Amino acid sequence: MKRFLFLMLLVCGMLIVPAQKLYINGKVSDSGKKPVENITVYLIKAKDSSIVNYTATNNEGKFSLKIDNQEEPSILKIDNEKLSYSKRFEKIDQPLSLDDIILEQKKIINIDEVKITVSPVKIKNDTVEFSASALKVRPDSNILELLKQVPGVEVSNDDKITVNGKNVDQIMVNGKPFFDKDGKMALQNLPADIIKNIQVTTTKTKQEEFGKKTPKSQNATINFNIDEKKNKGLITRAIVGYGSDKRYEGSGMVSYFKGNTKVSLMLSSNNINSRSVSGDNVFDNMGSIRGGGTQSSGGGILRSSTIGLNYNDKLSEDADLDNLSLKYSVSNRETASKVSRTTLLPDNILKTNSENSNKNESRQYSFDNSTRIKLDPETNIYISPSFSRSEGFSSGRSKSSTSKNDQLLNESQSSNTTDSENNTFSPNINFSKNLKKKGRVISARVNTSISESKTNTINLSQNTFYGESGITTDNRNQLQKNRSQGNDYSFNAGYTEPISDSATISMEMNYTSKLSRDFRDFNDFDNTTGQYSKYNILLSNSMEQRINQFSPELSFYLTKKKISTWATVNLDISDMKVNSVFKGQQYELKKNFALPRYMVNVQYVLSERQRLIVSNSSGFTVPSAEKLIPYKDESDPLATYTGNPDLKNSWMSTSMISFNSYNIVSGINYYINAGFIYRNNDVINYTRYDDTGKQIVTYDNISGNKSFNISSSLNKTFKWQDKKLIISPRFLMSYMYNNSSINGQLIKSNSYSISPSLNFNFDIKDKLSIKPSYSLNYNFSKYSNSDINSINTTSQSLKLELTNYLFQSRFVFGNDFEYNTNSNIAPGFKKDFYFWNTSLGYAFYKKQFTAKIKIYDVLNQNQSVRRTITDTYFEDREDLILKRYIMFSISMKLNTFKGKK
């Protein structure tokens, strides 16, 4: 491990060393010799118009464009919608300081048969716009391939997208969601040749967007604008496949575009653990689990079917339908697990072995709508109601045993069946109005959530306890009925006032009202009647909780060219009332709070592509009513829980510092993040174990828990001819100090986690793609006042993704290989395994159809085994996972635009 860390540091050091750079400096003015601010300046190669670098002028019209040596002819361009300038250089091998540049009225310029009619990049405030015509991709590429060519954009092996170090959390098409805001449907299904430009900007809330406020988010949004000439047509995608063990996949999508109107219908059905409608170009829907090991959320084996409709339109000049989405899905999931847990006691340890299996069927319905209404040029109303409903049925079995010093303390086995129903309705409204004075805004927001859920569970369990006084049993045959109702309502009113050209203050009033009702009824089985008719008053309870909160808020924003900051101070004034009935006894709880919160964020621009961000926040958390009410809950035969009305409010302080740098010239992008969290009056489980291994839990406050983490990533891109190599070393380290209590003894834990990794990505355009990677995860925990002093575990993963494009990309041969190993796993768990997927595809009929043969888990070794370490226990877990299958599939891509295919 030490050698690997040294290698990582050496590679990082070699990559961070900056290459010698040149520059082109100048000052830009219009025909009246007035400086032109924020106009795009860029250098392109004369042979293919590809971007070398770009920048923008400052408020004095000055710019400094950093470049490397240019051995080939290049063209300097400066332009906006009306003005332009160009200058050709045969060679650049020294810094250049140009005379004052006077812009002329924009016109088409031809230089040595290089026709430049569209700027490849434009900068306007915090938005950077790239022309799609300047990004070179294959004619049949989707917009994901187009996005990968945008300078500063990185797409990881798990499809996580970042731009200049910022996480991308929204992807839009023509400024609107395409089914979902994550954009996966759009990235995989829309063709690149219909896109006019790509816009990258900071993610904003609706209030920030309408009120033109400085965004508080550190994430980015990418928007694809469709070319007006191609914004009328039909896009069709379909995949059908069948294989061994009755594995199948089928998905399809049809999208119709015409101006502002966009209608899309999607269908999907498979039993290969994929919830997506389309996958990647190599493995189709299998691509959602490409790279092995990991499965879709929840593990197990999933069979699912989904149908969805998405509609966007401009209803009138003053009404815009951002999104109308309907979705229905059915899923069946089978899970099974084997767990070995070791619980740390002050003078001993407990060993618990358990096995669980479960089958779950569910149906889900959802409706989402968002409509923007413009009452006048400065007044906007945004209405976004949503509704969801789910129905489910599950059945499962479990068994467990707990021992100490190889002496059996208890054993349990149970079976259960559950049917459930849940409904949620959330109508939300945003209002914003810009007043006459620039920057003066009034806004209001109303959010509502009405929910109801019902669950009926029949549970049969046999529980045996081997105590010092003898053997006792607790056998149950019960019907448990749970009903929950929730009504949440919040109202926000805000006023923003500019106090200078770069500073504003904002005052907001927030009111929140929450009402929840929970009913839990137990009925024991009556052998006489053969029904669950014996009401069990000892386990049944009900609880009604009301929380009203009033929160005045004051915010300050300062935006300069080099520095921007915002700070927010809140005071949460809360009134809590709880009424509960348990064992026929009524409990009442009333508490009032006045708790402050604050957030401060400072961003400093060191250079055009380097930013330093520092933030700090703190606030209080009120314990839940279940932990405050002092009744004894014995619904679990193996554990009892008792609330503590004397719990104090928890306080947490979070500090973060982040530095990111992106250099388009040298192709180096890196960031370093560090964070620290300190907690006071943390609510912890105050646990005791009796002589049968049964848990007796209450709650208490403890102070001094803290954590620290640091993460860094570096990407270095090398390009030559049609080849590209990306080297990406990454490093993550975290430390946690936690206090816990077992059997009245305070146990302190110091936990460390170190996770370095190294990724490579080598591409030869339209021929070959190689992505090797290696990751190491080392965990070490040290305990005081425990029978075990320390625990450590190491996991390693070696991956290789190899894709070959043969015979003008008609044949695509893909292979994903992975080797995983875990150390210190308990006996009975396999420590390592190999995982291999392979696919061979042939494209025919103008590459509109593709036939594929795919093998998942070629070696039939796939498994899910992991170790988890906490401050009170560590456990090894193995889950049921999808195994080898072979599948043949046919996929289709048909596009028609204005009568042309």
Side-chain angles (χ1 to χ4, degrees):
M1 177 179 169
K2 291 181 178 179
R3 292 181 180 178
F4 181 76
L5 291 177
F6 175 77
L7 176 62
M8 289 280 292
L9 294 173
L10 181 62
V11 171
C12 292
M14 293 173 61
L15 296 178
I16 293 177
V17 173
Q20 183 178 358
K21 298 181 180 65
L22 305 179
Y23 59 82
I24 302 176
N25 291 343
K27 181 179 180 181
V28 180
S29 305
D30 59 16
S31 57
K33 296 187 176 181
K34 182 179 178 181
V36 180
E37 180 183 3
N38 202 32
I39 191 171
T40 306
V41 182
Y42 54 94
L43 186 72
I44 60 175
K45 294 181 179 180
K47 66 176 183 179
D48 59 4
S49 299
S50 60
I51 304 170
V52 177
N53 198 8
Y54 63 93
T55 186
T57 57
N58 61 16
N59 56 359
E60 298 177 351
K62 296 180 179 180
F63 69 89
S64 180
L65 183 65
K66 295 180 175 61
I67 59 173
D68 281 334
N69 288 354
Q70 299 298 310
E71 300 295 335
E72 300 176 351
S74 57
I75 302 170
L76 179 70
K77 286 286 296 178
I78 306 173
D79 60 15
N80 59 13
E81 287 78 4
K82 298 180 180 180
L83 303 172
S84 70
Y85 167 87
S86 68
K87 183 176 179 63
R88 181 185 175 97
F89 300 96
E90 295 299 325
K91 182 179 182 181
I92 303 177
D93 56 7
Q94 61 183 355
L96 298 176
S97 294
L98 304 180
D99 297 331
D100 288 351
I101 298 171
I102 306 300
L103 300 180
E104 300 177 351
Q105 288 295 320
K106 193 170 185 178
K107 59 183 179 180
I108 296 177
I109 301 174
N110 288 275
I111 303 176
D112 287 353
E113 300 182 352
V114 176
K115 189 175 181 180
I116 306 165
T117 59
V118 179
S119 301
V121 60
K122 297 179 182 179
I123 304 174
K124 187 176 181 181
N125 299 326
D126 66 338
T127 300
V128 182
E129 180 181 295
F130 298 89
S131 172
S133 61
L135 306 170
K136 310 300 181 183
V137 295
R138 296 198 315 269
D140 61 339
S141 297
N142 55 30
I143 62 174
L144 177 60
E145 296 302 317
L146 187 69
L147 184 61
K148 291 178 180 179
Q149 305 305 314
V150 174
V153 170
E154 299 171 19
V155 181
S156 66
N157 290 345
D158 57 357
D159 290 335
K160 179 182 178 181
I161 301 174
T162 60
V163 54
N164 293 340
K166 289 184 175 181
N167 290 327
V168 175
D169 62 349
Q170 285 189 157
I171 294 178
M172 316 291 256
V173 178
N174 285 351
K176 299 176 182 179
F178 191 76
F179 279 101
D180 298 309
K181 289 185 178 181
D182 63 12
K184 290 182 179 179
M185 285 284 295
L187 291 174
Q188 298 288 356
N189 289 283
L190 296 184
D193 56 5
I194 70 171
I195 301 301
K196 180 179 181 181
N197 56 55
I198 304 171
Q199 296 172 323
V200 180
T201 188
T202 304
T203 300
K204 297 180 180 180
T205 65
K206 286 301 174 184
Q207 286 183 311
E208 291 170 343
E209 179 185 338
F210 295 154
K212 300 177 181 178
K213 295 181 179 180
T214 301
K216 294 180 180 180
S217 172
Q218 300 300 324
N219 296 326
T221 294
I222 294 177
N223 178 50
F224 293 88
N225 287 314
I226 298 176
D227 192 338
E228 294 86 352
K229 298 178 182 179
K230 298 182 179 180
N231 200 21
K232 182 180 180 180
L234 193 67
I235 299 174
T236 306
R237 296 285 188 273
I239 300 171
V240 177
Y242 189 79
S244 61
D245 296 329
K246 298 183 180 180
R247 299 295 171 200
Y248 67 89
E249 65 172 329
S251 65
M253 189 199 73
V254 179
S255 288
Y256 170 74
F257 296 83
K258 184 179 180 181
N260 294 308
T261 303
K262 181 166 80 262
V263 183
S264 300
L265 174 67
M266 65 92 170
L267 304 98
S268 173
S269 182
N270 68 84
N271 61 355
I272 58 173
N273 286 24
S274 174
R275 287 189 179 275
S276 103
V277 174
S278 65
D280 58 32
N281 293 326
V282 181
F283 287 96
D284 297 329
N285 287 315
M286 187 190 292
S288 64
I289 43 180
R290 187 177 182 182
T294 58
Q295 298 265 326
S296 56
S297 176
I301 298 176
L302 173 69
R303 183 175 78 250
S304 64
S305 300
T306 302
I307 181 171
L309 175 69
N310 184 255
Y311 174 48
N312 310 118
D313 208 347
K314 191 172 183 63
L315 304 178
S316 68
E317 289 298 322
D318 301 321
D320 208 356
L321 180 63
D322 266 9
N323 184 51
L324 174 62
S325 178
L326 299 169
K327 190 181 291 186
Y328 170 71
S329 62
V330 180
S331 65
N332 293 267
R333 185 187 295 276
E334 180 184 357
T335 61
S337 63
K338 181 176 67 174
V339 179
S340 175
R341 173 179 292 192
T342 301
T343 302
L344 308 178
L345 302 181
D347 55 356
N348 216 312
I349 60 172
L350 296 179
K351 289 279 190 179
T352 302
N353 295 314
S354 61
E355 294 182 11
N356 297 272
S357 62
N358 190 72
K359 293 183 179 180
N360 179 277
E361 302 176 5
S362 67
R363 294 178 298 277
Q364 296 178 332
Y365 315 79
S366 66
F367 163 81
D368 288 285
N369 171 247
S370 53
T371 305
R372 174 176 173 172
I373 301 173
K374 185 178 288 188
L375 300 181
D376 58 55
E378 302 298 334
T379 307
N380 290 281
I381 295 179
Y382 194 79
I383 304 172
S384 54
S386 64
F387 171 78
S388 65
R389 174 182 172 83
S390 63
E391 302 169 353
F393 175 81
S394 66
S395 61
R397 293 179 177 274
S398 65
K399 63 179 181 179
S400 67
S401 63
T402 301
S403 60
K404 181 171 66 173
N405 294 330
D406 295 327
Q407 180 181 349
L408 186 63
L409 299 182
N410 64 65
E411 54 185 348
S412 172
Q413 56 181 344
S414 66
S415 62
N416 61 78
T417 58
T418 301
D419 61 84
S420 61
E421 176 185 316
N422 183 72
N423 298 282
T424 302
F425 176 56
S426 300
N428 303 313
I429 301 175
N430 283 267
F431 169 83
S432 179
K433 182 175 181 60
N434 299 317
L435 303 180
K436 291 184 178 180
K437 184 177 179 180
K438 183 179 180 181
R440 181 179 290 169
V441 182
I442 57 173
S443 62
R445 181 179 71 248
V446 178
N447 291 340
T448 306
S449 177
I450 304 170
S451 62
E452 181 179 26
S453 65
K454 298 178 181 179
T455 304
N456 295 328
T457 302
I458 295 177
N459 181 55
L460 289 83
S461 67
Q462 297 177 342
N463 309 280
T464 306
F465 301 91
Y466 304 92
E468 297 176 356
S469 59
I471 300 175
T472 59
T473 60
D474 184 356
N475 299 330
R476 303 187 181 188
N477 186 359
Q478 297 172 325
L479 169 63
Q480 177 182 345
K481 295 184 177 181
N482 290 76
R483 291 174 295 141
S484 296
Q485 297 174 335
N487 292 279
D488 297 347
Y489 167 83
S490 66
F491 173 78
N492 169 280
Y495 174 77
T496 302
E497 176 69 22
I499 55 179
S500 72
D501 60 347
S502 59
T504 60
I505 59 172
S506 176
M507 295 169 286
E508 294 185 12
M509 296 294 177
N510 300 281
Y511 172 74
T512 303
S513 176
K514 295 183 178 181
L515 170 62
S516 63
R517 295 185 178 95
D518 297 284
F519 306 91
R520 188 180 69 182
D521 297 317
F522 279 86
N523 288 280
D524 294 323
F525 186 76
D526 190 339
N527 292 319
T528 304
T529 62
Q531 296 180 347
Y532 293 93
S533 54
K534 290 184 178 180
Y535 185 72
N536 191 325
I537 193 173
L538 298 178
L539 300 182
S540 303
N541 77 320
S542 64
M543 180 182 293
E544 181 179 281
Q545 182 178 184
R546 294 176 181 268
I547 300 177
N548 295 313
Q549 181 173 290
F550 178 72
S551 303
E553 178 181 302
L554 179 64
S555 300
F556 172 77
Y557 302 85
L558 176 67
T559 304
K560 294 284 189 180
K561 187 169 182 62
K562 283 287 186 181
I563 189 170
S564 62
T565 182
W566 55 266
T568 300
V569 179
N570 305 67
L571 181 64
D572 296 335
I573 304 170
S574 304
D575 173 35
M576 175 190 282
K577 296 180 180 179
V578 181
N579 292 302
S580 180
V581 177
F582 190 84
K583 296 181 181 179
Q585 181 179 351
Q586 185 166 342
Y587 296 86
E588 289 189 1
L589 176 68
K590 295 182 180 180
K591 288 199 172 188
N592 298 313
F593 309 101
L595 306 174
R597 287 186 292 121
Y598 74 85
M599 296 181 65
V600 179
N601 182 285
V602 180
Q603 176 176 278
Y604 182 72
V605 180
L606 286 82
S607 66
E608 189 174 315
R609 293 287 174 258
Q610 291 184 333
R611 282 175 169 78
L612 177 67
I613 301 173
V614 180
S615 66
N616 177 258
S617 63
S618 75
F620 289 86
T621 302
V622 179
S624 63
E626 292 80 0
K627 295 181 179 181
L628 289 169
I629 300 296
Y631 59 70
K632 189 176 181 181
D633 184 353
E634 296 179 296
S635 57
D636 185 346
L638 301 177
T640 63
Y641 298 87
T642 305
N644 180 4
D646 297 323
L647 287 178
K648 299 176 183 178
N649 300 319
S650 302
W651 177 82
M652 182 174 70
S653 175
T654 303
S655 301
M656 185 272 289
I657 183 170
S658 175
F659 174 78
N660 64 77
S661 173
Y662 178 76
N663 191 317
I664 191 175
V665 180
S666 63
I668 292 180
N669 178 20
Y670 66 94
Y671 69 82
I672 301 174
N673 297 331
F676 177 76
I677 298 176
Y678 180 82
R679 295 180 174 90
N680 194 44
N681 287 327
D682 242 0
V683 176
I684 66 167
N685 286 8
Y686 198 80
T687 305
R688 292 179 179 272
Y689 289 85
D690 64 15
D691 61 347
T692 65
K694 184 176 181 179
Q695 295 184 60
I696 303 170
V697 182
T698 185
Y699 309 96
D700 206 350
N701 292 110
I702 201 163
S703 296
N705 289 345
K706 50 185 174 285
S707 63
F708 171 78
N709 68 81
I710 183 169
S711 62
S712 64
S713 174
L714 183 145
N715 287 339
K716 168 63 179 175
T717 302
F718 301 90
K719 293 183 179 179
W720 66 100
Q721 298 176 351
D722 59 350
K723 303 175 182 66
K724 182 170 69 173
L725 171 65
I726 302 175
I727 303 176
S728 305
R730 294 171 186 165
F731 180 78
L732 172 64
M733 190 274 286
S734 63
Y735 164 76
M736 288 191 298
Y737 173 83
N738 274 321
N739 293 289
S740 58
S741 177
I742 294 182
N743 288 352
Q745 181 71 52
L746 186 66
I747 294 180
K748 300 179 180 180
S749 66
N750 292 272
S751 301
Y752 305 83
S753 176
I754 301 174
S755 303
S757 64
L758 185 59
N759 302 276
F760 296 88
N761 189 338
F762 177 69
D763 284 295
I764 302 178
K765 190 175 181 180
D766 299 338
K767 293 182 179 179
L768 177 67
S769 174
I770 304 175
K771 298 180 181 179
S773 64
Y774 172 79
S775 62
L776 170 70
N777 187 14
Y778 176 73
N779 294 277
F780 174 79
S781 294
K782 187 176 181 180
Y783 302 91
S784 62
N785 300 328
S786 174
D787 190 59
I788 293 181
N789 294 325
S790 63
I791 305 169
N792 67 80
T793 182
T794 304
S795 62
Q796 301 178 72
S797 179
L798 178 64
K799 298 182 181 180
L800 175 64
E801 293 186 19
L802 178 63
T803 308
N804 298 87
Y805 301 92
L806 308 170
F807 303 104
Q808 298 180 337
S809 299
R810 286 194 175 275
F811 282 93
V812 179
F813 185 37
N815 287 276
D816 290 354
F817 179 83
E818 179 177 349
Y819 172 71
N820 286 278
T821 179
N822 293 274
S823 68
N824 299 331
I825 296 294
F829 295 87
K830 191 176 180 181
K831 293 185 177 182
D832 63 346
F833 70 97
Y834 295 91
F835 183 78
W836 178 21
N837 291 340
T838 187
S839 167
L840 178 62
Y842 171 68
F844 59 98
Y845 193 70
K846 301 178 182 180
K847 294 185 179 180
Q848 293 177 339
F849 290 83
T850 302
K852 289 181 185 177
I853 182 73
K854 300 168 290 188
I855 306 177
Y856 178 83
D857 187 18
V858 175
L859 304 177
N860 203 29
Q861 289 194 15
N862 194 24
Q863 65 178 26
S864 175
V865 176
R866 62 186 182 274
R867 166 166 284 197
T868 303
I869 302 176
T870 73
D871 54 341
T872 58
Y873 69 86
F874 65 93
E875 73 174 23
D876 299 314
R877 180 185 183 96
E878 180 178 5
D879 288 288
L880 175 69
I881 201 167
L882 191 63
K883 290 283 190 174
R884 179 173 58 196
Y885 65 86
I886 303 173
M887 181 173 290
F888 176 79
S889 68
I890 293 286
S891 61
M892 177 192 71
K893 297 187 294 183
L894 296 177
N895 303 325
T896 305
F897 299 104
K898 282 196 171 182
K900 296 180 180 180
K901 292 187 180 180

